[in-house]
Amino acid sequence: RKSELNPESNVQFGEGGAGTFSDGKLWSQISDSRHLTRKVLSEFVKAGAPEEILYIAKPHIGTFRLVGVVEKMRAEIEALGGEVRFEQRVTDVLIEGEQMRGVTLHSGEHIAANHVVIALGHSARDTFAVLHKRGVYMEAKPFSIGFRIEHPQSLIDAARFGPNAGNAILGAADYKLVHHAKGGIANGRSVYSFCMCPGGTVVAATSEPGRVVTNGMSQYSRNERNANAGIVVGISPQDYRQDGLLQGPVNPLDGMAFQRFWESRAYELGGGTYEAPGQLVGDFLADRASTTLGAVEPSYKPGVHLTNLGERGRSSLPDYAITAIREALPAFERQINGFSAFDAVLTGVETRTSSPLRITRGRDFQSLNVKGLYPAGEGAGYAGGIMSAGVDGIEVAEALARALLSAA
Ligand SMILES: Cc1cc2nc3c(=O)[nH]c(=O)nc-3n(C[C@H](O)[C@H](O)[C@H](O)COP(=O)(O)OP(=O)(O)OC[C@H]3O[C@@H](n4cnc5c(N)ncnc54)[C@H](O)[C@@H]3O)c2cc1C
């Protein structure tokens, strides 16, 4: 709101991580033969989430409630003997031979440990770099990039619920869209809606100065005027170096460098004030800069700077992504009337859809080449949301307990 970024405490970092500021949609498509998602949901209820999340099809608790839930989870961890240290970033790891020996905090304190779970989230770029420097095996992985799109929630409700739109029992409608691009340089790429937030807001999700990243969230009530969703294009490690974007030898941190490049470009296109670059869908499809907003007022704070997101030579995303999204929007219109309406608003860039790398583990959940290091959750490349990160956490904790017991 004040156009200031705190790199230590933001949407990505701080108590509860990205989870605290997330939209709080608590469903997942992971295969879950052991019903661990049920365990995760039960823990949420114990920490104050509404009981309905245990039985409704698409549980959602919203951002404000998550803050209190996370605080209660911390209290439970402390009651069980755990310790939570704030503002104690890990700045280095000590590895002897192939064995984890401990971590160093940015205060300089060293904590000795033969077993370390590292659950960094997808934006801990400094720590990824340290782990890489210390020789921890990791590999680049695919993720997706794109924009946020905003429509009036009433438009989505009308398309989804017809004459019943606005009925309080139905609440705010959501959508899930996919398009497989056919033409030109975008050939074969999938474009899909990501983290759709009915009645929500687009949020500033950067964690680094001089960069702009979008994401979405909503309150439990989902009663803000706009619906928003990421409209993103799948990319793979082969794409990171296209068009000479990155120099030097290929390395597992390439996806991170790729994200940084486009997030810095978004900052420039937004006018260098943390406003997000934005454009009306009609202008984006016609490849001309937007100069005035229409009926849709974008929700991103501190604001939106109108521009041409797809201008050749100064584009906000690689050309193949722009082409794919230009092809997908009219296709989505065929599923949701008004989706590519002239004055729907695009803001960018959406680059933190999942981790750009995987800290690869073996069957024992430990790093492939460092014993005692347990990479976990989204940053390790083994989860893509709150539920899957929670389930992964349980499995890592079980693996760690097994290792400790067998050593005892
Ligand atoms: C705006 C937004 C909306 C979202 N909406 C949803 C949604 O509706 N549903 C859903 O399922 N997912 C959603 N997500 C994604 C979800 O939040 C993440 O998938 C999930 O939080 C990943 O959990 P995690 O524990 O792996 O990592 P995180 O929650 O990112 O936690 C990582 C933690 O590690 C800490 N950390 C990082 N580096 C260090 C270090 N060097 N030393 C010490 N600590 C460190 C961070 O401060 C943070 O606390 C959303 C994300 C955002 C940003």
Side-chain angles (χ1 to χ4, degrees):
R1 243 174 252 273
K2 292 183 189 156
S3 296
E4 284 166 18
L5 174 78
N6 178 349
E8 299 290 328
S9 177
N10 48 57
V11 167
Q12 309 291 349
F13 301 147
E15 181 167 32
T20 310
F21 288 95
S22 80
D23 188 37
K25 290 182 285 291
L26 297 178
W27 65 90
S28 160
Q29 292 172 329
I30 54 170
S31 72
D32 182 24
S33 54
R34 294 176 59 210
H35 306 291
L36 294 176
T37 49
R38 179 82 185 171
K39 164 75 177 158
V40 176
L41 289 174
S42 308
E43 291 298 325
F44 270 98
V45 171
K46 256 170 57 188
E51 271 205 48
E52 67 178 29
I53 66 169
L54 295 175
Y55 55 84
I56 60 174
K58 290 182 176 172
H60 165 254
I61 59 178
T63 309
F64 279 6
R65 287 191 177 202
L66 271 169
V67 175
V69 164
V70 167
E71 283 169 353
K72 285 204 182 130
M73 286 180 174
R74 166 172 34 108
E76 172 78 356
I77 290 168
E78 287 169 339
L80 291 168
E83 184 190 348
V84 178
R85 295 201 190 181
F86 290 103
E87 298 180 9
Q88 294 291 311
R89 183 161 42 90
V90 169
T91 51
D92 209 347
V93 290
L94 178 63
I95 299 165
E96 280 175 8
E98 294 190 340
Q99 174 62 51
M100 193 71 196
R101 290 291 182 215
V103 298
T104 305
L105 307 181
H106 87 295
S107 59
E109 182 185 353
H110 179 73
I111 301 178
N114 289 339
H115 299 87
V116 174
V117 176
I118 197 146
L120 299 166
H122 57 35
S123 293
R125 294 168 175 172
D126 52 344
T127 322
F128 290 150
V130 162
L131 293 169
H132 181 55
K133 193 167 103 189
R134 298 289 174 223
V136 175
Y137 182 82
M138 54 182 73
E139 52 200 320
K141 77 174 232 333
F143 60 100
S144 299
I145 52 170
F147 304 125
R148 278 271 140 184
I149 191 164
E150 278 187 279
H151 301 94
Q153 182 61 46
S154 55
L155 181 146
I156 305 298
D157 291 346
R160 282 291 185 236
F161 298 148
N164 294 312
N167 187 319
I169 296 175
L170 293 172
D174 64 3
Y175 59 80
K176 192 171 177 189
L177 301 166
V178 186
H179 173 74
H180 298 288
K182 293 171 199 72
I185 54 171
N187 199 6
R189 289 181 192 269
S190 27
V191 184
Y192 60 97
S193 57
F194 166 77
C195 187
M196 196 267 148
C197 303
T201 47
V202 180
V203 293
T206 185
S207 51
E208 293 181 325
R211 304 203 159 96
V212 165
V213 181
T214 53
N215 209 311
M217 69 185 208
S218 68
Q219 305 310 340
Y220 178 71
S221 56
R222 287 180 159 163
N223 62 4
E224 299 291 331
R225 61 182 186 276
N226 289 347
N228 75 70
I231 297 295
V232 297
V233 183
I235 59 164
S236 64
Q238 289 78 357
D239 295 316
Y240 302 162
R241 285 178 171 256
Q242 269 197 36
D243 307 323
L245 203 65
L246 310 179
Q247 310 299 321
V250 172
N251 104 38
L253 304 179
D254 276 358
M256 213 169 85
F258 174 94
Q259 287 174 322
R260 280 182 164 147
F261 178 90
W262 295 108
E263 292 167 9
S264 299
R265 173 70 61 84
Y267 181 77
E268 280 165 36
L269 291 171
T273 58
Y274 290 105
E275 288 195 340
Q279 189 174 16
L280 306 193
V281 164
D283 290 327
F284 175 72
L285 294 175
D287 193 11
R288 62 171 174 247
S290 291
T291 49
T292 46
L293 291 169
V296 182
E297 196 186 322
S299 57
Y300 183 94
K301 297 275 183 280
V304 170
H305 182 85
L306 292 175
T307 182
N308 183 357
L309 293 169
E311 187 181 334
R312 277 189 90 82
R314 201 170 156 264
S315 180
S316 57
L317 290 176
D319 290 344
Y320 57 79
I322 298 287
T323 304
I325 295 173
R326 281 210 179 108
E327 186 185 310
L329 291 173
F332 293 157
E333 172 75 28
R334 292 195 281 280
Q335 296 177 57
I336 294 185
N337 196 12
F339 199 86
S340 61
F342 191 88
D343 57 1
V345 178
L346 295 169
T347 43
V349 286
E350 191 95 2
T351 42
R352 312 272 184 104
T353 49
S354 72
S355 186
L357 55 84
R358 173 166 296 123
I359 308 175
T360 320
R361 354 182 253 220
R363 288 168 68 89
D364 58 2
F365 289 81
Q366 300 182 48
S367 150
L368 273 192
N369 66 339
V370 181
K371 287 294 152 216
L373 175 63
Y374 293 79
E378 183 153 25
Y382 289 95
I386 298 169
M387 296 304 290
S388 55
V391 167
D392 193 58
I394 295 173
E395 294 190 318
V396 166
E398 290 174 338
L400 175 55
R402 278 194 299 273
L404 289 172
L405 285 173
S406 66

